[in-house]
Amino acid sequence: MQHTIDAGRLGEGGRLMLEAIEACVHCGFCLPVCPTYQLLGEEMDSPRGRIYLMKGVLEGTLAADDVATHLDRCLGCLACLSACPSHVRYDHLVTLFRERLERSRSRRAVDRLLRRGMLAVLPYPGRLRRAARLGQGLRGLAGLLPGRLRAALELLPPALPESRPLPAVFPATGRRRARVALLSGCVQQVLAPQINEAALRVLSYNGVEVLVPAGQGCCGALAMHTGEAEQARALARRNLAAFAAAEVDAIITTAAGCGSAMKEYPLLFHGQPEHQAAQAFAARVRDFSEFLEELQPLQPGPVAPKRVAYHDACHLAHAQGIRQAPRQLLRRIPNLELVELADGETCCGSAGIYNLEQPELARQLGLRKAQAVQGTGAQAVVTGNIGCMVQIEASLRRAGSSVAVLHIAQVLDEAYRRAVDGDGRPPEAMPAAPALRTAPTGGHQEGSR
């Protein structure tokens, strides 16, 4: 008996899911690039297999609980998107399907509680800071905790930086070449505030004035990619409102996952009143490296000779197609030797909250990534996503490695700081950046939400 999918019955997003399913020709090109297929060797844990399962649920021949385990194991890394010769929009399919799956599946009470806890804490800097401090206090008891809570403690940095709110406006140095708005983020601003600070200085060095709009918050990526679409929309609406009045050339993000999610706002609001505003917003979103390379940056100064490996964040390389811009920026730095990782575009295992929900699979992927980094002989690994940084750093610690994990903005910041004369006066072509200052009002304030 031939089963068909009634897209109209599926409501908003049904047509997009059906288009993705029908585009798949089951060629299998996605299998060897899928991290879970590499680890588990099961067809149902590959993109092709998951498409078959999703199709069965939408046709009504499979129940949500029949496919939930295999969909949960999907990292959403989108390596399949890059490998697919038929251009199947697996990204649209899995995002929309997970929203539907969460409405009809069953979960154990403990799983439901842990997930709600993570999504109630991670997107809100004030809550996350308090939870991180509590977690650091529990480190001595890690061995007594359940696997997922233990995994969360292992991902925390050795020391938590002090809260450092960003300025409302960070001026361009010298002639202004562009004006942008910065997404300050949530997890990154708690665990690694130095990244945004470095980005502000690098943009300023290059004549870019940066606004940090008040009222912004989490991009919604964590909720969006785990099927919690209503929470994601609420967070996205906040950002649509916060950035609406900003007369800027671009909206900049320093986290690949955030940039990917914000470029997906039109999908999130497909068929809803905010769709047009979401399209306009997404059209202005640029990754930090993408924007800076398009700007044709000034020449950075020489750094102490070092070898660095570059890690492709999945939501930069696969979701946004940004591979060359970060590498070109790094190659501009004198004395910096850039080396590639073996199997470099395979996910490190971070994937939003994947390393909290699927700790064993994430640990295996993290170990593989740590071994690849160590195999390069590099002194540092550079990437453009806070989730990757946290995961790789934890994996390197487990491996007993002292390789530094840096954001590309931090590497560029060091190089531009060195582009000054011997007497400390900046050359005419390379004005010095102003000291980081915190405005008394405006800007992103780390609230208690």
Side-chain angles (χ1 to χ4, degrees):
M1 180 178 178
Q2 182 70 33
H3 296 279
T4 59
I5 300 173
D6 181 359
R9 177 179 58 83
L10 299 178
E12 296 299 341
R15 178 182 58 80
L16 295 178
M17 286 193 286
L18 181 58
E19 286 177 355
I21 288 171
E22 290 181 339
C24 179
V25 297
H26 312 291
C27 65
F29 276 75
C30 58
L31 272 65
V33 302
C34 175
T36 51
Y37 185 76
Q38 291 174 18
L39 292 178
L40 302 171
E42 293 288 341
E43 174 76 16
M44 295 302 100
D45 290 309
S46 74
R48 183 174 69 179
R50 292 183 180 111
I51 288 174
Y52 176 83
L53 294 176
M54 288 186 274
K55 181 174 183 286
V57 172
L58 297 177
E59 287 175 339
T61 59
L62 291 173
D65 287 346
D66 295 334
V67 307
T69 297
H70 301 290
L71 266 294
D72 288 347
R73 288 176 184 161
C74 176
L75 292 127
C77 70
L78 304 182
C80 54
L81 201 65
S82 297
C84 181
S86 301
H87 308 292
V88 174
R89 293 308 304 261
Y90 184 83
D91 52 342
H92 288 178
L93 176 59
V94 75
T95 296
L96 293 167
F97 185 83
R98 277 178 165 164
E99 177 183 0
R100 183 178 181 84
L101 183 65
E102 287 306 312
R103 293 198 300 262
S104 54
R105 68 179 296 174
S106 59
R107 286 186 184 274
R108 294 187 307 161
V110 64
D111 293 337
R112 191 163 54 249
L113 182 63
L114 285 171
R115 166 174 275 242
R116 285 179 179 172
M118 286 186 287
L119 292 175
V121 170
L122 292 173
Y124 306 99
R127 299 177 191 176
L128 176 57
R129 179 171 294 280
R130 290 193 293 274
R133 284 176 177 156
L134 175 63
Q136 289 182 317
L138 293 173
R139 273 210 167 108
L141 303 174
L144 303 176
L145 296 174
R148 278 174 287 186
L149 289 178
R150 186 168 61 250
L153 294 187
E154 291 175 351
L155 292 171
L156 289 174
L160 194 66
E162 290 300 314
S163 175
R164 299 203 291 257
L166 294 173
V169 180
F170 200 80
T173 301
R175 180 179 64 87
R176 193 176 81 183
R177 301 169 65 196
R179 190 170 188 252
V180 302
L182 178 73
L183 179 86
S184 55
C186 48
V187 173
Q188 178 175 281
Q189 196 56 18
V190 173
L191 300 184
Q194 64 272 22
I195 293 173
N196 277 334
E197 293 168 2
L200 289 176
R201 289 190 291 266
V202 170
L203 290 168
S204 178
Y205 286 135
N206 282 280
V208 182
E209 180 184 32
V210 186
L211 311 182
V212 185
Q216 62 169 293
C218 172
C219 66
L222 297 177
M224 186 191 311
H225 296 142
T226 53
E228 301 295 339
E230 286 308 312
Q231 181 184 7
R233 290 187 189 100
L235 293 167
R237 287 188 186 101
R238 178 178 175 180
N239 286 328
L240 291 179
F243 286 87
E247 296 182 2
V248 293
D249 300 298
I251 296 169
I252 303 297
T253 174
T254 53
C258 297
S260 173
M262 294 194 297
K263 289 177 179 179
E264 283 188 288
Y265 278 5
L267 177 66
L268 187 63
F269 289 108
H270 180 75
Q272 302 206 17
E274 299 92 342
H275 187 250
Q276 188 172 353
Q279 286 181 311
F281 179 94
R284 296 196 293 167
V285 174
R286 293 288 185 278
D287 180 75
F288 166 79
S289 63
E290 175 188 24
F291 176 82
L292 192 59
E293 183 61 24
E294 288 175 354
L295 189 68
Q296 297 184 339
L298 300 176
Q299 175 61 39
V303 297
K306 70 173 68 173
R307 170 183 286 190
V308 302
Y310 179 72
H311 163 69
D312 280 290
C314 295
H315 280 85
L316 201 58
H318 300 305
Q320 300 183 65
I322 299 171
R323 294 176 174 83
Q324 292 308 311
R327 289 173 167 83
Q328 289 166 351
L329 290 169
L330 292 170
R331 290 190 184 109
R332 292 175 188 269
I333 302 174
N335 295 337
L336 196 72
E337 180 189 359
L338 179 63
V339 296
E340 297 292 337
L341 293 174
D343 199 18
E345 289 196 2
T346 296
C347 185
C348 65
S350 173
I353 61 172
Y354 189 91
N355 50 4
L356 302 176
E357 292 199 304
Q358 302 284 336
E360 182 51 41
L361 290 174
R363 184 185 289 264
Q364 291 180 54
L365 291 170
L367 176 61
R368 286 170 49 167
K369 187 63 66 174
Q371 291 171 339
V373 170
Q374 290 175 298
T376 65
Q379 288 86 46
V381 57
V382 180
T383 189
N385 187 58
I386 182 62
C388 300
M389 293 177 69
V390 169
Q391 172 77 352
I392 294 172
E393 193 167 40
S395 300
L396 287 168
R397 280 200 304 268
R398 292 190 195 106
S401 173
S402 60
V403 174
V405 182
L406 300 170
H407 191 281
I408 187 172
Q410 294 173 283
V411 180
L412 289 167
D413 184 38
E414 178 190 353
Y416 279 119
R417 284 173 179 269
R418 292 176 179 269
V420 295
D421 291 340
D423 61 0
R425 292 174 58 83
E428 185 176 348
M430 184 56 252
L436 188 71
R437 59 181 178 82
T438 301
T441 60
H444 174 70
Q445 300 299 319
E446 188 180 298
S448 60
R449 298 191 61 190

